Amino acid sequence: MTEVAVKNSRIGEVLDKLGIAHVNKGTAVGVNFIASEGADFISSYSPVDGELIAKVSVTTKEEFEQVVSSANEAFKDWKKVPSPLRGEVVRQLGMKLREVKAELGMLVSYEMGKSYQEGLGEVQEMIDICDFAVGLSRQMYGSTMHSERPEHRMYDQYHPLGVVGIISAFNFPTAVWAWNAAIALVAGDTVIWKPSEKAPLCGVASQKILADVLAENGYSSAVTNLVTGDYKIGELMTSDKRIPLVSATGSIRMGRIVGQAVAARFGKSLLELGGNNAIIITADADLELALKTAVFGAVGTAGQRCTSTRRLIIHESIFDKVTEKLKSIYSNIKIGDPLDENNHMGPLIDTLAVDTYLSAIEKAKEEGGKMLVEGVKLSNEGMESGCYVSPSIAEVKNHYEIVQNETFAPLLYIMKYNTLTEAIDLQNGVVQGLSSAIMTTNLREAELFLSQQGSDCGIANVNVGTSGAEIGGAFGGEKETGGGRESGSDAWKLYMRRQTNTINYGLGSPLAQGIKFDI
């Protein structure tokens, strides 16, 4: 980037391959990156080594106005493009992502701190949602229905909604944008994206890739747009009536603010908020599978997924056995540079996250929790400037205040249960309702967990962990997780407006409900 020389030569090559080595502007109207005189800058530091990667300009109010106006103008033409042709653009985006998968995955890993394998997995999610959206571009069906009136036909159909605003979080700095953008684009919407201020370069890179694809196909540059900054830019998006849908991923606190602001202007919001996800391990579980699943869920991405496993609810008959095995596995977790594929866990996103994690450990102990494995801040060779911690396991009670809240870190709470009904009550006994799982080989236990008497979460799995999402299934949660759904099933309907149509092809004008009105 022009604002700083990147010391990590690998990342310098990555930025060059992605075409952003000389871009330090964080506002983009399609392919055109812009920055006002005297603009403020976001400094992007890598949690891997504490190095400043680059500085990216913050969007001003004037630039924001330009972006929204341009996106609305572009919508007038983009919505007229047949959906299969819009799908062709998204198909080409998927192909371009395949070409730069290694480089974009490495940037995700270095800027955010997740392992390189997870960085590659994130780009693969982007590719997968493009494939899903391409098929969807020919399948956005309405329904026909019989009218009660003779010689009438009724049906419903879906039309493009307008400008879709996307506010994404640092933990998935590219994939969540793609979840929304790919579907919004085939639906005929234009897009404005505010990436996390903690990972702005991933936003710049992804914006450039998509904007270049659109430009190569001769479409308006303002079909996809980028704004950068902190919550103040988010507030501009949520309060703007020209943005009919705001899709926001983040904390419950943030979601309340966004939801209220958008609702106040009768806009639509798609909220993907916090998780407090639990795995029930029954006496009939395959323990090897259960342990592997639980550990990845707890320490993958250093516990910084909304679907990370926060709680293990273990049958009392196997509790001691499971905890001993967990402690043994945790002693062998390799922590370090996430670009080194021998490591299981990279750093937390920043020093604030480290402090929050350590405070949560102390809070758990104060409330009566027993630390089976107590995490600490690491300062080994190569970690001095990073945000590395070791993971923790705490035996707790579900009602503890700290357990009821989401800690975005590798802090795993464990607790006992006696009956499956008790376990399900514990699983459901939090305000969040994102992801859940049961590990069992007992068919009755599995079916009960999936029944109306079971998990109250948006995602409920059997012998599959809480962490991660597969494109095609609707992703999202209930209760204070926000109720949103993305990346699969009929989530596309959220990006469109629904219209009911009635056609009278007869000579008379009968009224519904048999009402008589003769003149």
Side-chain angles (χ1 to χ4, degrees):
M1 311 292 279
T2 56
E3 287 294 309
V4 64
V6 180
K7 294 182 180 180
N8 188 312
S9 60
R10 287 182 297 174
I11 301 305
E13 294 171 2
V14 162
L15 298 179
D16 189 57
K17 178 68 181 292
L18 293 172
I20 63 170
H22 302 290
V23 177
N24 68 328
K25 301 177 179 67
T27 306
V29 181
V31 296
N32 299 311
F33 285 84
I34 60 177
S36 302
E37 289 292 328
D40 292 330
F41 284 84
I42 298 171
S43 295
S44 178
Y45 291 92
S46 172
V48 174
D49 52 22
E51 293 291 340
L52 176 64
I53 314 172
K55 294 183 179 180
V56 175
S57 66
V58 174
T59 301
T60 65
K61 287 185 178 180
E62 293 74 22
E63 291 166 357
F64 180 81
E65 177 61 33
Q66 179 182 347
V67 167
V68 178
S69 297
S70 298
N72 270 277
E73 281 300 310
F75 172 64
K76 295 176 182 178
D77 292 325
W78 182 244
K79 68 180 179 180
K80 298 176 186 176
V81 177
S83 181
L85 296 185
R86 298 192 296 253
E88 169 59 18
V89 171
V90 174
R91 185 193 69 81
Q92 292 179 34
L93 170 61
M95 297 306 295
K96 186 71 71 174
L97 289 169
R98 286 175 170 88
E99 294 175 12
V100 298
K101 180 178 177 179
E103 291 78 16
L104 187 55
M106 185 170 288
L107 179 59
V108 168
S109 179
Y110 187 65
E111 188 175 33
M112 183 268 151
K114 64 176 60 176
S115 73
Y116 181 48
Q117 278 298 311
E118 290 186 77
L120 293 174
E122 177 154 353
V123 182
Q124 187 61 49
E125 278 196 67
M126 301 171 77
I127 294 167
D128 292 345
I129 193 63
C130 287
D131 290 350
F132 177 83
V134 172
L136 186 64
S137 68
R138 294 178 182 269
Q139 299 181 78
M140 292 183 286
Y141 303 129
S143 302
T144 60
M145 57 217 74
H146 292 282
S147 173
E148 67 181 65
R149 291 169 283 184
E151 299 181 317
H152 281 58
R153 181 167 70 89
M154 295 178 64
Y155 66 95
D156 59 24
Q157 61 180 330
Y158 292 84
H159 296 298
L161 189 60
V163 179
V164 173
I166 303 169
I167 301 173
S168 62
F170 74 85
N171 58 331
F172 282 86
T174 60
V176 172
W177 163 73
W179 287 5
N180 287 274
I183 295 180
L185 289 174
V186 299
D189 303 322
T190 55
V191 171
I192 300 173
W193 177 28
K194 190 195 92 64
S196 170
E197 62 270 29
K198 297 182 180 183
L201 300 184
C202 289
V204 172
S206 300
Q207 166 68 20
K208 187 175 190 310
I209 293 167
L210 175 53
D212 284 348
V213 170
L214 282 158
E216 289 165 5
N217 284 270
Y219 294 116
S220 168
S221 61
V223 171
T224 181
N225 307 275
L226 187 74
V227 293
T228 51
D230 59 15
Y231 70 93
K232 295 177 183 176
I233 300 301
E235 287 177 347
L236 292 177
M237 294 179 70
T238 57
S239 62
D240 198 309
K241 291 184 177 180
R242 295 169 296 177
I243 304 176
L245 171 65
V246 175
S247 175
T249 302
S251 67
I252 291 172
R253 182 191 64 81
M254 181 273 280
R256 282 200 178 94
I257 296 170
V258 170
Q260 291 173 12
V262 175
R265 60 177 175 85
F266 294 102
K268 297 169 65 177
S269 59
L270 193 169
L271 301 176
E272 298 287 2
L273 310 177
N276 198 344
N277 316 294
I279 298 177
I280 298 172
I281 302 179
T282 79
D284 289 328
D286 177 331
L287 288 188
E288 183 178 352
L289 174 62
L291 288 164
K292 184 176 181 179
T293 299
V295 172
F296 174 75
V299 306
T301 325
Q304 296 173 114
R305 293 185 177 210
C306 51
T307 55
S308 288
T309 303
R310 308 287 176 207
R311 298 174 295 144
L312 285 187
I313 303 168
I314 307 165
H315 192 269
E316 60 187 13
S317 66
I318 58 171
F319 185 84
D320 291 340
K321 182 178 182 180
V322 170
T323 54
E324 287 305 310
K325 286 183 176 292
L326 278 172
K327 288 191 289 184
S328 175
I329 294 171
Y330 267 52
S331 68
N332 292 311
I333 295 293
K334 295 176 182 175
I335 305 163
D337 184 346
L339 298 180
D340 180 347
E341 295 188 61
N342 291 314
N343 292 323
H344 300 110
M345 189 176 113
L348 293 176
I349 185 64
D350 55 22
T351 55
L352 176 60
V354 173
D355 292 341
T356 300
Y357 172 55
L358 298 178
S359 295
I361 292 172
E362 293 305 312
K363 178 67 173 175
K365 291 193 292 187
E366 289 171 8
E367 291 194 68
K370 176 185 176 183
M371 300 303 302
L372 303 183
V373 178
E374 184 165 351
V376 297
K377 186 180 187 306
L378 300 175
S379 56
N380 305 338
E381 183 179 353
M383 298 182 183
E384 301 89 345
S385 301
C387 300
Y388 296 90
V389 298
S390 59
S392 300
I393 303 173
E395 184 178 350
V396 298
K397 300 295 184 183
N398 201 54
H399 66 266
Y400 290 175
E401 181 182 358
I402 190 64
V403 178
Q404 289 288 309
N405 290 282
E406 179 185 43
T407 299
F408 227 53
L411 176 52
L412 179 64
Y413 300 118
I414 63 173
M415 58 197 77
K416 301 177 183 179
Y417 80 91
N418 177 256
T419 67
L420 185 56
T421 298
E422 177 190 357
I424 292 172
D425 287 344
L426 290 170
Q427 139 67 37
N428 294 342
V430 293
V431 298
Q432 306 88 350
L434 180 53
S435 187
S436 60
I438 188 169
M439 308 301 291
T440 182
T441 58
N442 184 312
L443 178 63
R444 289 180 175 176
E445 290 181 330
E447 289 293 340
L448 180 64
F449 181 74
L450 299 178
S451 75
Q452 68 271 23
Q453 304 171 61
S455 169
D456 63 2
C457 293
I459 299 168
N461 299 327
V462 176
N463 295 327
V464 175
T466 65
S467 187
E470 184 176 336
I471 298 303
F475 178 88
E478 299 300 323
K479 301 190 292 188
E480 293 189 13
T481 297
R485 292 296 187 274
E486 296 172 320
S487 84
S489 187
D490 63 350
W492 60 270
K493 293 178 180 179
L494 295 168
Y495 302 86
M496 307 192 80
R497 60 181 179 88
R498 183 170 181 163
Q499 184 181 78
T500 300
N501 307 115
T502 305
I503 298 172
N504 178 0
Y505 58 88
L507 298 177
S509 56
L511 299 174
Q513 292 84 49
I515 294 174
K516 302 294 184 182
F517 186 75
D518 297 324
I519 55 174

